Amino acid sequence: MLARTFISRILPVAAISAGLLVAAPAGEAKRQDKAKPVVAKFALGDKRVKKTRAAAKKPKAKTSQSPAVCQNTDVLPSAENIELVRAAILCLHNRIRSQHNLPALKDNAKLRKAATGHANAMVGEGYFDHDSPDGDTFVDRIIGAGYARRTEGWTLGENLAWGTGDLATPRSIMAAWMHSPGHRANILQREYRQIGFGVIAGNPNADDGAGATYVTEFGVVEGSARVASRVNGARAAAKKRAKKRSAARRQKARMRARRARIALVPRHRRVVGRVSRVSAGLR
C-alpha cells in the first residue's frame, strides 16, 4: 500500500496522487515524465520602496483569532461543494498565520477571479505552471483582474497544488504546502493582507476529472499616495545622511590642513640666561 506522503513532483497513481508546481516551459507536451524542483512565486511591485526607520513606533498589526477547529477540511472537492472547500482552506491559512502571530488574510474577489481563471486554464489545457503557455505570469493575471496597478506599490505571491483521492482535501493540500519551503514562505509572508482561492474539480495530469486543483493568490497593495509619502520620506532621510557625510568630510579636510600648517612652522629654540654684552655691526 502506498504510504501517504507529500512529494515535490507529480506522481501519477491510479488511486492517490498529489502535485505541487512542476515548472515546465510553455509549448511542451501536456504530460511530463521528468520531475523538476518545486517552486513558489513571489513578486514585489516596481514602485515599492524599502522601509525606513520611523521616529515613532508603528502599532503592531492586529492578528485575528482564528477558530480553534476549521470545518470541512477533509471534504473531497466537487462542483457542488467548492465554496465549502474555499472556506476551509482560508480557515487553515489564517489558523496557521495566527499561530505565528501574523495578520489574518481576507478573501478578495479580484484575487479569487485570477486564481479561478488560472485553475480552469491549467486543467483545461493540461499544464501545471505559474506561467501560462502564452507567457502570462501570475503578476499579469492578478493585475489583469484589477487587483493592482503597475504604478502602485504591491507584493504578490502564488501557490499551486493538485491532488486526487485523500490528497485532494484542504487539509492534505495545506500540509503539502507547509512541507515545501517556498510555499510555506508565501503562507507566512507578514506583509500579505488579502488572499483568493481558485479550486476546481479535476487535475492537469489527467482528463478523467479526478481530484482537484488549487490556486492561491496572495497580495497587498499600497496606494500611490502612501508610496509617494514613503518615497519622499526616504529621500529626506537620504539627504540628511548625505549632509552629515559632507560635514564630516569638511571637518576631516580642515584637520588635515591644520596638521599640514603646523608641520611647516619652524621650531624655535628658547635660550635662558643673562646676556652680558650685545654687539652688532655691519661689514
Side-chain angles (χ1 to χ4, degrees), residues 202-256:
N203 71 82
N205 203 47
D207 298 328
D208 55 8
T213 298
Y214 292 71
V215 176
T216 306
E217 309 288 16
F218 304 88
V220 61
V221 177
E222 298 182 23
S224 53
R226 183 178 176 186
V227 172
S229 176
R230 289 179 61 182
V231 169
N232 291 336
R235 287 175 178 170
K239 287 182 179 179
K240 187 175 181 180
R241 290 193 297 270
K243 187 175 180 180
K244 286 184 177 180
R245 289 194 297 266
S246 179
R249 285 195 296 268
R250 289 196 298 270
Q251 179 65 17
K252 288 181 180 179
R254 285 194 293 267
M255 292 299 295
R256 286 195 297 269

Side-chain angles (χ1 to χ4, degrees), residues 168-226:
T169 65
R171 187 190 302 276
S172 295
I173 293 295
M174 197 68 190
W177 277 334
M178 289 302 291
H179 281 81
S180 168
H183 299 85
R184 177 187 174 91
N186 262 344
I187 293 169
L188 299 181
Q189 173 64 248
R190 176 173 291 276
E191 293 189 346
Y192 293 145
R193 292 296 183 271
Q194 292 90 34
I195 196 169
F197 300 100
V199 184
I200 66 168
N203 71 82
N205 203 47
D207 298 328
D208 55 8
T213 298
Y214 292 71
V215 176
T216 306
E217 309 288 16
F218 304 88
V220 61
V221 177
E222 298 182 23
S224 53
R226 183 178 176 186

